[in-house]
Amino acid sequence: DEGGQDALAKAILANRAFIRHEFMSYVMSKVISMELRNDSRGIDHEQDEELQKLTALQSTFVRVHIAFDIPFKDAVLRAETILRNAVGVEESQVAGVLEKSLRGKSSLDVNALFAVTYAALSAWQERTKKEGPQAIPQDTVRKIRAAATCLDDEKSALSSMVAPE
């Protein structure tokens, strides 16, 4: 029913980080094998309740992927470009580059920049642990920290754009 599919869509959205590509592949292969089985037995697909449930699950996965994952992936790609541009200027100009790049953009774009910025900081911290601070371009790290500060600063126009979730 429609309410059950909406609840399922919400559950998938809330837990999509845990629902792996392999699971979706499993559902797809199960649907195909059930369809082939039904075809060989002369059973109408519409009459197979288990197949209908799996097909609805598959459809829900696809809807969630199209509605949420693809737009966020695209926003992350845009955010990577914005952060790359910010790292390419003087540290004092980072905030201006971010504000100019995000002016008129959606909260999804700002949240993607937040995620990309903190992922970059985390990656540099891990690399520092493995290779030592001498192997790390400190100027780049300072600029990424400046971007993070801009996103975190309550007085910053960007800070108010970052959604609390």
Side-chain angles (χ1 to χ4, degrees):
D1 69 57
E2 190 67 30
Q5 286 184 353
D6 287 344
L8 179 59
K10 288 178 184 176
I12 290 170
L13 176 60
N15 297 293
R16 72 180 186 273
F18 301 107
I19 299 174
R20 309 254 325 137
H21 173 73
E22 292 82 13
F23 181 70
M24 185 59 200
S25 296
Y26 168 77
V27 170
M28 292 173 78
S29 68
K30 186 75 172 164
V31 165
I32 291 169
S33 69
M34 290 176 77
E35 288 174 344
L36 291 172
R37 180 198 67 199
N38 288 352
D39 288 346
S40 70
R41 295 179 181 171
I43 300 171
D44 183 11
H45 297 278
E46 301 295 322
Q47 301 302 317
D48 188 335
E49 191 174 314
E50 183 181 0
L51 177 58
Q52 292 305 308
K53 287 179 182 178
L54 281 175
T55 302
L57 176 64
Q58 181 181 22
S59 176
T60 301
F61 269 104
V62 171
R63 280 196 337 257
V64 168
H65 178 68
I66 290 169
F68 298 100
D69 295 336
I70 292 173
F72 188 70
K73 178 193 73 129
D74 292 343
V76 164
L77 293 173
R78 290 188 299 272
E80 289 172 344
T81 299
I82 292 169
L83 187 60
R84 190 177 310 114
N85 292 340
V87 168
V89 299
E90 295 297 319
E91 188 176 341
S92 62
Q93 298 172 324
V94 168
V97 168
L98 296 181
E99 289 178 16
K100 181 179 177 188
S101 297
L102 291 172
R103 192 171 296 126
K105 301 286 186 196
S106 70
S107 61
L108 180 65
D109 286 303
V110 179
N111 288 326
L113 180 60
F114 187 89
V116 165
T117 300
Y118 279 91
L121 280 177
S122 178
W124 284 116
Q125 288 171 346
E126 288 299 313
R127 187 168 170 198
T128 300
K129 287 178 189 175
K130 290 179 183 174
E131 299 176 27
Q134 70 282 356
I136 306 305
Q138 295 301 318
D139 186 51
T140 299
V141 174
R142 276 193 305 277
K143 291 174 185 177
I144 295 171
R145 281 193 184 113
T149 300
C150 184
L151 290 167
D152 284 339
D153 184 358
E154 291 180 12
K155 297 174 188 167
S156 166
L158 295 177
S159 173
S160 64
M161 293 173 70
V162 178
E165 53 284 2

